[in-house]
Amino acid sequence: MSQPTPVEPGHAAAAEHDAVESVVHLMPLVLPLAGGVLMLLLASIAVFLA
């Protein structure tokens, strides 16, 4: 088994980087834009097939 390098308790919290928390603050902008693009694509497909 691998043996991880020991890290000081105070240093571990500073070195830890959560990818989800770095993106969460963008969700109020990304979700409506993605929904609008999806609705535009679905409407264009419906008009093209009609």
Side-chain angles (χ1 to χ4, degrees):
M1 292 176 49
S2 65
Q3 295 184 2
T5 57
V7 179
E8 300 170 6
H11 187 266
E16 193 172 327
H17 178 69
D18 191 7
V20 174
E21 288 185 8
S22 65
V23 180
V24 166
H25 68 277
L26 294 175
M27 283 298 112
L29 296 174
V30 172
L31 288 178
L33 287 175
V37 169
L38 184 62
M39 286 173 36
L40 180 67
L41 288 173
L42 290 172
S44 64
I45 290 171
V47 167
F48 178 72
L49 291 178

Coordinates of all heavy atoms in Angstrom, one line a residue:
M1 N 0.8 -1.2 0.0 CA 0.0 0.0 0.0 C 0.9 1.2 0.0 O 2.0 1.2 0.5 CB -0.9 0.0 1.2 CG -2.0 -1.1 1.2 SD -3.0 -1.2 2.6 CE -3.6 0.4 2.9
S2 N 0.4 2.3 -0.6 CA 1.1 3.5 -0.6 C 1.1 4.2 0.7 O 0.1 4.1 1.5 CB 0.6 4.5 -1.7 OG -0.7 4.9 -1.4
Q3 N 2.1 4.9 1.1 CA 2.2 5.7 2.3 C 2.2 7.2 2.0 O 3.2 7.7 1.4 CB 3.4 5.3 3.1 CG 3.3 3.9 3.6 CD 4.5 3.5 4.5 OE1 5.3 4.4 4.8 NE2 4.6 2.3 4.9
P4 N 1.1 7.9 2.2 CA 1.1 9.3 1.9 C 2.1 10.1 2.7 O 2.4 9.7 3.9 CB -0.4 9.7 2.2 CG -0.9 8.7 3.1 CD -0.1 7.4 2.8
T5 N 2.5 11.2 2.2 CA 3.5 12.0 3.0 C 2.7 12.7 4.1 O 1.6 13.2 3.9 CB 4.1 13.1 2.0 OG1 3.1 13.8 1.5 CG2 4.9 12.4 1.0
P6 N 3.3 12.7 5.3 CA 2.6 13.4 6.4 C 2.5 14.9 6.2 O 3.4 15.5 5.7 CB 3.5 13.1 7.6 CG 4.8 12.7 7.0 CD 4.6 12.2 5.7
V7 N 1.3 15.4 6.5 CA 1.1 16.9 6.4 C 0.7 17.4 7.7 O -0.1 16.8 8.4 CB 0.0 17.1 5.3 CG1 -0.3 18.6 5.1 CG2 0.3 16.5 4.0
E8 N 1.1 18.6 8.0 CA 0.7 19.3 9.2 C -0.8 19.6 9.2 O -1.3 19.9 8.1 CB 1.5 20.6 9.4 CG 3.0 20.4 9.5 CD 3.8 21.7 9.4 OE1 3.1 22.7 9.4 OE2 5.0 21.6 9.3
P9 N -1.5 19.5 10.3 CA -2.9 19.8 10.3 C -3.3 21.2 9.8 O -4.3 21.3 9.0 CB -3.3 19.6 11.8 CG -2.3 18.8 12.4 CD -1.0 19.1 11.6
G10 N -2.6 22.2 10.1 CA -2.9 23.5 9.6 C -2.6 23.7 8.1 O -3.3 24.4 7.4
H11 N -1.6 23.0 7.6 CA -1.2 23.1 6.2 C -2.2 22.3 5.3 O -2.4 22.6 4.2 CB 0.2 22.6 6.0 CG 0.7 22.8 4.7 ND1 0.6 21.8 3.7 CD2 1.3 23.8 4.1 CE1 1.2 22.3 2.6 NE2 1.6 23.5 2.8
A12 N -2.8 21.2 5.8 CA -3.7 20.4 5.0 C -4.9 21.2 4.6 O -5.4 21.1 3.5 CB -4.1 19.2 5.8
A13 N -5.5 22.0 5.5 CA -6.7 22.8 5.2 C -6.4 23.9 4.1 O -7.2 24.2 3.3 CB -7.2 23.5 6.4
A14 N -5.2 24.4 4.2 CA -4.8 25.4 3.2 C -4.5 24.8 1.8 O -4.8 25.4 0.8 CB -3.6 26.2 3.7
A15 N -4.0 23.6 1.8 CA -3.6 23.0 0.5 C -4.8 22.3 -0.2 O -4.8 22.1 -1.4 CB -2.5 21.9 0.8
E16 N -5.9 22.1 0.6 CA -7.0 21.4 0.0 C -7.8 22.3 -0.9 O -8.1 23.5 -0.5 CB -7.9 20.9 1.1 CG -9.0 19.9 0.7 CD -9.7 19.3 1.9 OE1 -9.1 19.1 2.9 OE2 -10.9 19.0 1.7
H17 N -8.1 21.9 -2.1 CA -8.8 22.7 -3.1 C -10.0 21.9 -3.6 O -9.9 20.9 -4.2 CB -7.9 23.1 -4.2 CG -8.6 23.9 -5.3 ND1 -9.0 25.2 -5.1 CD2 -8.9 23.6 -6.5 CE1 -9.6 25.7 -6.2 NE2 -9.5 24.7 -7.1
D18 N -11.2 22.5 -3.4 CA -12.5 21.8 -3.8 C -12.9 22.4 -5.1 O -13.2 23.6 -5.2 CB -13.5 21.9 -2.7 CG -14.7 21.0 -3.0 OD1 -14.6 20.2 -3.9 OD2 -15.7 21.1 -2.3
A19 N -13.0 21.6 -6.1 CA -13.4 22.1 -7.5 C -14.9 22.5 -7.5 O -15.2 23.5 -8.2 CB -13.1 21.0 -8.5
V20 N -15.7 21.8 -6.7 CA -17.1 22.2 -6.7 C -17.3 23.6 -6.1 O -18.1 24.4 -6.7 CB -17.9 21.1 -6.0 CG1 -19.4 21.5 -5.8 CG2 -17.8 19.8 -6.7
E21 N -16.7 23.8 -5.0 CA -16.9 25.1 -4.4 C -16.3 26.3 -5.2 O -16.8 27.4 -5.1 CB -16.2 25.1 -3.0 CG -16.9 24.3 -2.0 CD -16.3 24.4 -0.6 OE1 -15.4 25.3 -0.4 OE2 -16.7 23.7 0.3
S22 N -15.4 26.0 -6.1 CA -14.9 27.1 -7.0 C -15.9 27.4 -8.1 O -15.7 28.4 -8.8 CB -13.5 26.7 -7.5 OG -13.7 25.6 -8.4
V23 N -16.9 26.5 -8.4 CA -17.8 26.8 -9.5 C -19.2 27.1 -9.0 O -20.0 27.7 -9.8 CB -17.9 25.5 -10.4 CG1 -18.8 25.6 -11.5 CG2 -16.5 25.1 -10.8
V24 N -19.5 26.9 -7.7 CA -20.9 27.1 -7.3 C -21.3 28.5 -7.4 O -22.5 28.7 -7.7 CB -20.9 26.6 -5.8 CG1 -22.2 27.1 -5.1 CG2 -20.9 25.1 -5.7
H25 N -20.5 29.5 -7.2 CA -20.9 30.9 -7.3 C -21.3 31.3 -8.7 O -21.9 32.3 -8.9 CB -19.8 31.8 -6.7 CG -18.6 31.9 -7.6 ND1 -17.6 30.9 -7.5 CD2 -18.2 32.8 -8.5 CE1 -16.7 31.2 -8.4 NE2 -17.0 32.3 -9.0
L26 N -21.0 30.5 -9.7 CA -21.4 30.8 -11.1 C -22.7 30.2 -11.5 O -23.3 30.5 -12.6 CB -20.3 30.3 -12.1 CG -19.0 30.9 -12.0 CD1 -18.0 30.2 -12.9 CD2 -19.1 32.4 -12.4
M27 N -23.3 29.3 -10.6 CA -24.5 28.6 -11.0 C -25.7 29.6 -11.3 O -26.5 29.3 -12.2 CB -24.9 27.6 -9.9 CG -24.1 26.4 -9.9 SD -24.3 25.4 -11.4 CE -22.7 25.6 -12.1
P28 N -25.9 30.7 -10.6 CA -27.1 31.5 -10.9 C -27.0 32.1 -12.3 O -28.0 32.5 -12.9 CB -27.0 32.7 -9.9 CG -26.3 32.1 -8.7 CD -25.3 31.1 -9.3
L29 N -25.8 32.2 -12.9 CA -25.6 32.7 -14.3 C -25.6 31.5 -15.3 O -26.2 31.7 -16.4 CB -24.3 33.4 -14.4 CG -24.2 34.7 -13.6 CD1 -22.8 35.3 -13.7 CD2 -25.2 35.7 -14.0
V30 N -25.0 30.4 -15.0 CA -24.8 29.3 -15.9 C -26.1 28.6 -16.2 O -26.5 28.3 -17.3 CB -23.7 28.4 -15.4 CG1 -23.7 27.1 -16.3 CG2 -22.4 29.1 -15.4
L31 N -26.9 28.3 -15.1 CA -28.1 27.5 -15.3 C -29.2 28.2 -16.2 O -29.7 27.6 -17.1 CB -28.7 27.2 -13.9 CG -27.9 26.1 -13.2 CD1 -28.6 25.8 -11.8 CD2 -27.8 24.8 -13.9
P32 N -29.5 29.5 -16.0 CA -30.5 30.1 -16.9 C -30.0 30.2 -18.3 O -30.7 30.0 -19.3 CB -30.7 31.5 -16.3 CG -30.3 31.4 -14.9 CD -29.2 30.4 -14.8
L33 N -28.7 30.5 -18.5 CA -28.1 30.5 -19.9 C -28.2 29.2 -20.5 O -28.6 29.1 -21.7 CB -26.7 31.0 -19.8 CG -26.5 32.5 -19.5 CD1 -25.0 32.8 -19.4 CD2 -27.1 33.3 -20.6
A34 N -27.8 28.1 -19.8 CA -27.9 26.8 -20.4 C -29.4 26.4 -20.7 O -29.6 25.8 -21.7 CB -27.3 25.8 -19.4
G35 N -30.3 26.8 -19.8 CA -31.7 26.5 -20.1 C -32.2 27.3 -21.3 O -33.0 26.7 -22.1
G36 N -31.8 28.5 -21.5 CA -32.2 29.3 -22.7 C -31.6 28.7 -23.9 O -32.3 28.6 -25.0
V37 N -30.4 28.2 -23.9 CA -29.8 27.6 -25.1 C -30.5 26.3 -25.4 O -30.8 26.0 -26.6 CB -28.3 27.4 -24.9 CG1 -27.7 26.5 -26.0 CG2 -27.5 28.7 -24.8
L38 N -30.8 25.5 -24.4 CA -31.5 24.3 -24.6 C -32.9 24.5 -25.2 O -33.3 23.8 -26.1 CB -31.6 23.5 -23.3 CG -32.2 22.1 -23.4 CD1 -31.3 21.2 -24.3 CD2 -32.3 21.5 -22.0
M39 N -33.6 25.5 -24.7 CA -34.9 25.8 -25.2 C -34.8 26.3 -26.7 O -35.7 25.9 -27.5 CB -35.6 26.8 -24.4 CG -36.1 26.3 -23.0 SD -36.8 27.5 -21.9 CE -37.6 28.7 -22.9
L40 N -33.8 27.1 -27.0 CA -33.7 27.5 -28.4 C -33.4 26.4 -29.3 O -33.9 26.3 -30.4 CB -32.5 28.6 -28.4 CG -32.2 29.1 -29.8 CD1 -33.4 30.0 -30.3 CD2 -30.9 29.9 -29.7
L41 N -32.5 25.5 -28.9 CA -32.2 24.3 -29.7 C -33.4 23.4 -29.9 O -33.7 23.0 -31.0 CB -31.1 23.5 -29.1 CG -29.7 24.1 -29.2 CD1 -28.7 23.3 -28.4 CD2 -29.2 24.3 -30.6
L42 N -34.2 23.2 -28.8 CA -35.4 22.3 -29.0 C -36.4 23.0 -29.8 O -37.1 22.3 -30.6 CB -35.9 22.0 -27.6 CG -35.0 21.0 -26.7 CD1 -35.6 20.9 -25.3 CD2 -34.9 19.7 -27.4
A43 N -36.6 24.3 -29.7 CA -37.6 25.0 -30.5 C -37.2 24.9 -32.0 O -38.0 24.8 -32.9 CB -37.7 26.4 -30.0
S44 N -35.9 25.1 -32.3 CA -35.4 25.1 -33.7 C -35.6 23.7 -34.2 O -36.0 23.5 -35.4 CB -34.0 25.6 -33.8 OG -33.1 24.7 -33.1
I45 N -35.4 22.7 -33.5 CA -35.6 21.3 -34.0 C -37.1 21.1 -34.2 O -37.5 20.5 -35.2 CB -35.1 20.3 -32.9 CG1 -33.6 20.3 -32.9 CG2 -35.6 18.9 -33.2 CD1 -33.0 19.5 -31.7
A46 N -38.0 21.6 -33.3 CA -39.4 21.4 -33.5 C -39.9 22.1 -34.8 O -40.7 21.6 -35.5 CB -40.2 21.9 -32.3
V47 N -39.4 23.3 -35.0 CA -39.8 24.1 -36.2 C -39.2 23.4 -37.5 O -39.9 23.3 -38.5 CB -39.3 25.5 -36.1 CG1 -39.4 26.3 -37.5 CG2 -40.0 26.3 -35.0
F48 N -38.0 22.9 -37.4 CA -37.4 22.2 -38.6 C -38.2 20.9 -38.9 O -38.4 20.6 -40.1 CB -36.0 21.9 -38.3 CG -35.3 21.1 -39.4 CD1 -34.9 21.8 -40.5 CD2 -35.0 19.8 -39.3 CE1 -34.3 21.1 -41.6 CE2 -34.3 19.1 -40.3 CZ -34.0 19.8 -41.4
L49 N -38.7 20.2 -37.9 CA -39.4 18.9 -38.2 C -40.8 19.2 -38.6 O -41.5 18.3 -39.2 CB -39.3 18.0 -37.0 CG -37.9 17.4 -36.7 CD1 -37.9 16.6 -35.4 CD2 -37.4 16.6 -37.9
A50 N -41.4 20.3 -38.2 CA -42.8 20.6 -38.5 C -43.1 20.9 -40.0 O -42.3 21.2 -40.7 CB -43.3 21.8 -37.7

